[in-house]
Amino acid sequence: MPATDTILLSSELKLVHRLDQRFFALLDAIAQTGSINRAASTAGYSYKGAWMLLESAGNLVNGALIETVTGGKGGGGTRLTPAAVELLAVWRELQRRNLEFLHRQEAWLNQLPALAGLLRRMAMKTSARNQFAGVISAIDTGPVTTQVTVTIAGAQEIVATMTTTAANRLKIKIGGNAIALIKSSAVVLVTDFSGFALSARNQFEGTVSRVERGAVSSLVVLTLPGGACMTASLTNDAVDALSLAVGQTATAVFKAYAVMVAVQQE
């Protein structure tokens, strides 16, 4: 059972600094298939790479880890030596004990709700570059769509629009913790409104704090009042047209439909 079953904690076990999960997956695959070739493919090794690893590990334990079986109903194959079987059994037991340890430590962390909440927010993996933790401060429910306001650092309010079905499924409630996610490609930067007003619900004025220029596009980071950072992905032509530079004032604009809301499920 892998240690990644825990939510807040994880660890990587290694024996003698080199025998890791992938190595033991190779041993297990050999035991299951009776073939180094098939086992190497299962564990993500080349045939040559699997042999080199097995030979190197065998040197560490002062004995062969596999042996060739000839003849028989299946026409022969490869099997683990008793030493390898024992090593694999020890690894499985270590994995079990490690997971028990992680669960105990996670139970302790869960007694510190503020820290546990912070770690859970950081643990979520998503491709959205803009992620803002906050509290749901307003909900406007309609027959088809629901508008949700998430208040983030600096009393900034991000408004998201979702279907009412989605809002009910998420069990959204006032005062609940939430994360607002916005892809950088959905953020438009405006440096001069020239007297016009935009229909986009979310508009945040800030200061350009970083411009990372690539071959075709650039990432522009805007620091908002309160310290939150908003990232926009723009073409290099757009960056040049706006003459964007560090220290310049700009407004990040994005539609409420572009905002995804994540809510911790109980």
Side-chain angles (χ1 to χ4, degrees):
M1 187 178 296
T4 51
D5 283 354
T6 59
I7 297 174
L8 302 180
L9 298 173
S10 64
S11 67
E12 182 183 3
L13 281 178
K14 286 186 179 181
L15 293 178
V16 293
H17 305 293
R18 66 178 74 182
L19 304 183
D20 57 9
Q21 176 66 37
R22 194 177 176 205
F23 168 76
F24 286 100
L26 176 63
L27 288 188
D28 186 57
I30 292 173
Q32 297 296 325
T33 66
S35 164
I36 292 183
N37 193 30
R38 290 197 297 272
S41 178
T42 299
Y45 290 100
S46 66
Y47 180 74
K48 181 180 179 181
W51 264 111
M52 291 178 63
L53 181 60
L54 290 167
E55 290 170 349
S56 175
N59 292 336
L60 291 174
V61 299
N62 294 321
L65 295 177
I66 58 173
E67 56 188 5
T68 301
V69 182
T70 58
K73 183 178 179 180
T78 304
R79 68 184 180 193
L80 301 182
T81 63
V85 171
E86 182 179 7
L87 190 62
L88 183 57
V90 167
W91 172 260
R92 289 169 174 164
E93 177 62 17
L94 284 173
Q95 287 282 78
R96 185 189 67 79
R97 293 188 182 196
N98 183 57
L99 187 57
E100 287 183 351
F101 168 79
L102 292 175
H103 282 158
R104 288 197 301 270
Q105 305 318 306
E106 183 163 310
W108 172 72
L109 280 174
N110 282 324
Q111 296 175 11
L112 309 171
L115 179 60
L118 169 65
L119 293 175
R120 284 194 178 90
R121 292 193 296 272
M122 295 176 67
M124 187 174 66
K125 298 178 180 179
T126 170
S127 62
R129 186 171 292 273
N130 295 297
Q131 303 179 39
F132 302 97
V135 176
I136 296 173
S137 54
I139 302 173
D140 184 5
T141 303
V144 178
T145 61
T146 293
Q147 183 173 281
V148 177
T149 302
V150 180
T151 300
I152 64 172
Q156 301 276 355
E157 294 183 342
I158 295 178
V159 178
T161 297
M162 65 188 72
T163 66
T164 298
T165 299
N168 292 334
R169 175 173 53 82
L170 292 175
K171 300 178 182 178
I172 289 183
K173 59 184 179 181
I174 298 291
N177 294 321
I179 300 176
L181 303 98
I182 310 101
K183 290 185 176 182
S184 58
S185 58
V187 180
V188 174
L189 292 186
V190 180
T191 57
D192 185 358
F193 285 90
S194 298
F196 286 87
L198 297 179
S199 61
R201 180 65 179 81
N202 295 289
Q203 301 184 33
F204 299 92
E205 186 179 52
T207 303
V208 176
S209 54
R210 191 168 77 253
V211 178
E212 296 182 6
R213 196 178 185 94
V216 177
S217 61
S218 297
L219 291 177
V220 180
V221 180
L222 215 64
T223 298
L224 309 179
C229 293
M230 180 80 66
T231 302
S233 177
L234 285 72
T235 64
N236 289 338
D237 288 342
V239 172
D240 294 338
L242 294 174
S243 300
L244 290 173
V246 172
Q248 181 180 356
T249 299
T251 301
V253 179
F254 51 95
K255 294 181 178 181
Y257 279 107
V259 182
M260 292 178 286
V261 175
V263 177
Q264 180 72 41
Q265 299 298 290
E266 299 178 354

